Structure formats: C-alpha cells, structure tokens
Amino acid sequence: MLKKRIIPCLDIKNGRTVKGVNFVNIIDAGDPVELAREYVHQRADELVFLDITATLDKRKTLVELVKKVAAVINIPFTVGGGINSLDDVQAIIQAGADKVSMNSSAVRRPELISEIAQEYGSQFVVVAIDVKFVEGKWMVFTHGGSRATTWEAVSWAKEVERRGAGEILLTSMNNDGTKAGFALEITDAIAKAVNIPVIASGGAGQMEHFKTLFETTAASAGLAASIFHFGEIPIPVLKNYLAEQEIAIRR
Amino acid sequence: MIAVIKYNAGNIQSLQNALQRLGVESVVTDDKSLIRQADKVIFPGVGEASTAMRYLRERGLDKVLVSLTQPMLGICLGLQLMCQWSEEGNTDCLGIFDTKVQKFPAKDRVPHMGWNNFASAESPLYQGIHLSDDVYYVHSYYAAPCEETIATCDYILPFSASLHRDNFWATQFHPEKSADVGEQILRNFLSF
C-alpha cells in the first residue's frame, strides 16, 4: 500500500537553518546537512529545503548546500525558494535535488511550470500554493503570504496540474503557526480537484492533527517545521502513533 | 568499475552519490567501449521514453546495451526502456524483457509517488528484504507482470516492481532514494 508521507521542512538562510532546533544529539543545529542526516535517521519520508535568502549572489551558497545534502542523504528531497528560471532549476537539479518547488514565480509566469516539466519531467516540479481565507473564499497569495492574487485556490491548483506540475505543496496562511491543525476543508477540496499528490502544510501542533488530516482529506503527505525541529513531536513517535491508528505509514 | 549510462536529462547525481556511499567507483558515460569494459552497468533514467530511446539509438547505445554480458541494472525509466514497448510516445524499446509498459489508469493519483512495499519479491536481488519494506517510487507508467517479474507492487493494479533475465536486472523504484532498504538492494546487485 502507498504510504502517507511525513515531511520536515527546513528554512535556509545563507546556507544555514534559520529556526532553532533542539535535537540533543546534534552538534551544530544550524547546519542543514547535520539536520538532514538526523531526519533520515528518524525515518522522515522526504525533506523540503526552503531557501529564504532572496538575493541572487547567495544562490551559489544554496547550490553548494544542495550538493552537500545530496551527498549524505538517501531519501528524496525538494529545494524551493527564489526559483525563477530554467537556469535556476538546472543548477539545483544538477547539484542533486530530486524536486524543485516554485511559488511566486509560478504565479508570475505559469509557463515556467510547463517549461520545467517538459525539460525534466513533471516529477521534478512541485508547485507551492499559499492560500488565505478571504471574504468567504480561499485565495492564492504570493511572497510569503504578503501579496494577494486574483487566483481562487482550487482553480489555481487545477491550472498548475494542467501545466505539468507533479505535486502540490499547499500551505494555509490562516493555519500556519497556529498549531491548531491543518486546513482540512481546502486541503480536501484541492486534493479531490486534482489527480497529483497534495502535501498539506500549516497548523500541525499535535499528532492527532496528522491523523485527522489523513482520515478526513485526500492529502498524500503532511509537512511541518518547528514541531519536528524542537522535538515537540519526534517523527518516530508520530509514525508509531499513526500506524497504531491504522494509517498506512512507513516505519 | 561501474558504468552509469549517460542521458540527456535526469538526476544521475543521486545515483552516483549512493554508489559513493557504498564505496564504489562509478563513471557516468555514453562511451561504448567504456560501457563494454565495465564490471557492472547501471541504466538509470528519469524522463520521457521516446526521447530517451532516440538518444540511445542516435549513439548506437541501444545495440550495446542488449549485447552486454556483465550484470546490468535498469532503474525506473531504465526498467521501462528494457521492455518491448512503451505506451509513452508509442515507443519501441530495447526488448530485453517480454512485457509492455502502459500508463496507469486514472483510478487513483498518477504519478504513483511515494513509499510502497512489495506484494512479492523473490530473488537474490531481494536477499535480506522483507515484503513489508518500503521503497520509493515516482512513475506514471508501469510494466505489466510477466514471467521475468521477480517482485511486484500493488498500486491501482499489480505491476512489475522488478524484472530479471540472465544478466539483466531492473527496478521500477529508486533504490538510490530508498534509504537503508534501497542500499541493501544496491549492495545485493553489486555483489553479483
């Protein structure tokens, strides 16, 4: 049976992890390579690296980091943040990433999705969609949730699938950081509107939130950051819990 | 020396990294004599079937690959190209395995992406591997089970997770991305 995936997300700035981490056995918590290794050890199913360095001159640092991460980990990993062109994608893929994730650049120029899919295959293209509930509708936002677009969430999800995206990473801005649970309704609406996998993100605070996500929506994976980094919910404990709840999970 | 067949696209880096972690030297090449001399050959591939076959034919690599006698391992698209024919681009493939490659019916999400276990796995390639072990898949096309199938997986329908004939081996999943389970499978292949 295909398993539901548990995915830790690491925010990267200038080649270092941004948010604090308190794994006791990690010497340098700011080192993404050390963290990646630890997450593989904990049996995370995939990793997502989100580069929040906005400037072009720091891009080289990211490529170097991707190379180092690729050398030590043996599970798939996605790299996102500031990917604007086929050249950016090529550099990241050649460095050893398995997928690239785009967000604002896909909204700005949706053709980029098709271009990457044609050049490398759909499986390389993850489109990250940030949504916010505004006046009774789930709308797409860009630039870390700061800019509104005219795209309604389900329509945009269908559009990115049509253009060749291989996967959707859906983040609810309303839920992100609240630890009150995932945005179940919109996650399920999008997951049912498309036939590609949807990763749900934003709002995970307890193990039950993952159970509810997998039991009540068609999401293929759940992503979180701080609850994993701070050891609030260790991945092996979460996975054991989900398996006991009879959710298909890799252990 | 292990020869990894060079392609126009695809992430070959992760395979090389995996081999390096196992302490094995590899060279990514489309040089026919290097490929013929290699102790083992790995035929990876991520991409589209007709483009990949055209690339191989233009360089005469199609004839080299089918004539190899050392152990060869096809991975993902590599497995599909070793079959008779692929629905993807209506492509005649290498014909090493007597089966066809078709697109998954859209009864569930396609691509089949993520970790899945084995429905069956009986072969020296799966020495030390349990049916409950998960490996990582990303594919929209599958090889139908046939006499050369040595492992199967269930997704929408049963398909060939792995094929074997003589010196030719293939996996639909990515052993290089399948954590410790994948490493064991690669180690088994390297021991042939």
Side-chain angles (χ1 to χ4, degrees), chain B residues 92-161:
Chain B
D92 284 323
C93 300
L94 296 172
I96 292 169
F97 300 122
D98 191 14
T99 186
K100 286 178 185 170
V101 175
Q102 290 155 277
K103 186 154 193 179
F104 277 120
K107 288 178 187 161
D108 201 341
R109 263 157 237 284
V110 177
H112 173 217
M113 181 189 280
W115 298 81
N116 206 333
N117 60 296
F118 296 97
S120 66
E122 259 183 71
S123 160
L125 191 60
Y126 297 97
Q127 184 92 44
I129 302 297
H130 307 281
L131 292 183
S132 58
D133 288 336
D134 290 302
V135 286
Y136 186 78
Y137 289 89
V138 188
H139 60 128
S140 300
Y141 293 79
Y142 70 95
C146 64
E147 288 212 347
E148 291 144 339
T149 299
I150 52 169
T152 57
C153 174
D154 289 333
Y155 185 72
I156 301 177
L157 38 76
F159 68 89
S160 294

Side-chain angles (χ1 to χ4, degrees), chain A residues 161 166 190-197, chain B residues 105-111 155:
Chain A
E161 179 183 45
I190 288 181
K192 286 193 172 129
V194 298
N195 203 38
I196 53 176
Chain B
K107 288 178 187 161
D108 201 341
R109 263 157 237 284
V110 177
Y155 185 72

Side-chain angles (χ1 to χ4, degrees), chain A residues 107 129-141 148-160 168 170 185-187 189-190 193-194:
Chain A
V107 174
I129 305 181
D130 291 348
V131 298
K132 211 187 274 186
F133 196 63
V134 185
E135 292 166 8
K137 279 185 190 160
W138 285 96
M139 300 299 292
V140 175
F141 280 69
T149 72
T150 53
W151 281 103
E152 187 273 323
V154 174
S155 309
W156 176 236
K158 285 182 172 171
E159 177 68 10
V160 306
I168 288 171
L170 177 71
E185 245 175 78
I186 187 62
T187 300
I190 288 181
V194 298

Side-chain angles (χ1 to χ4, degrees), chain A residues 77-100:
Chain A
F77 74 103
T78 302
V79 176
I83 287 168
N84 291 308
S85 67
L86 271 179
D87 286 346
D88 292 339
V89 174
Q90 191 184 24
I92 299 285
I93 286 178
Q94 278 182 351
D98 298 287
K99 309 176 195 178
V100 291

Side-chain angles (χ1 to χ4, degrees), chain A residues 36 38 66 91 108 133 186 202 207 240:
Chain A
E38 173 61 21
V66 172
R108 192 167 51 239
F133 196 63
I186 187 62
M207 295 200 288
N240 281 337

Side-chain angles (χ1 to χ4, degrees), chain A residues 20-167:
Chain A
V21 175
N22 73 349
F23 290 143
V24 281
N25 48 344
I26 281 197
I27 302 151
D28 180 358
D31 179 2
V33 179
E34 284 269 329
L35 265 177
R37 218 193 288 256
E38 173 61 21
Y39 278 126
V40 170
H41 179 69
Q42 292 191 10
R43 300 191 81 71
D45 296 310
E46 269 182 62
L47 296 176
V48 170
F49 293 85
L50 193 60
D51 185 40
I52 55 173
T53 320
T55 55
L56 276 174
D57 56 314
K58 295 295 188 322
R59 193 82 353 198
K60 274 186 191 158
T61 318
L62 179 67
V63 171
E64 283 311 306
L65 172 67
V66 172
K67 276 186 194 160
K68 282 188 215 157
V69 169
V72 301
I73 74 166
N74 54 12
I75 60 170
F77 74 103
T78 302
V79 176
I83 287 168
N84 291 308
S85 67
L86 271 179
D87 286 346
D88 292 339
V89 174
Q90 191 184 24
I92 299 285
I93 286 178
Q94 278 182 351
D98 298 287
K99 309 176 195 178
V100 291
S101 163
M102 291 176 296
N103 189 334
S104 310
S105 55
V107 174
R108 192 167 51 239
R109 207 170 73 78
E111 298 79 17
L112 187 58
I113 302 170
S114 335
E115 288 166 14
I116 300 171
Q118 269 158 24
E119 183 77 19
Y120 299 99
S122 285
Q123 73 276 359
F124 281 109
V125 192
V126 180
V127 175
I129 305 181
D130 291 348
V131 298
K132 211 187 274 186
F133 196 63
V134 185
E135 292 166 8
K137 279 185 190 160
W138 285 96
M139 300 299 292
V140 175
F141 280 69
T142 60
H143 299 83
S146 63
R147 281 193 213 169
T149 72
T150 53
W151 281 103
E152 187 273 323
V154 174
S155 309
W156 176 236
K158 285 182 172 171
E159 177 68 10
V160 306
E161 179 183 45
R162 191 183 68 80
R163 288 186 177 272
E167 196 165 32

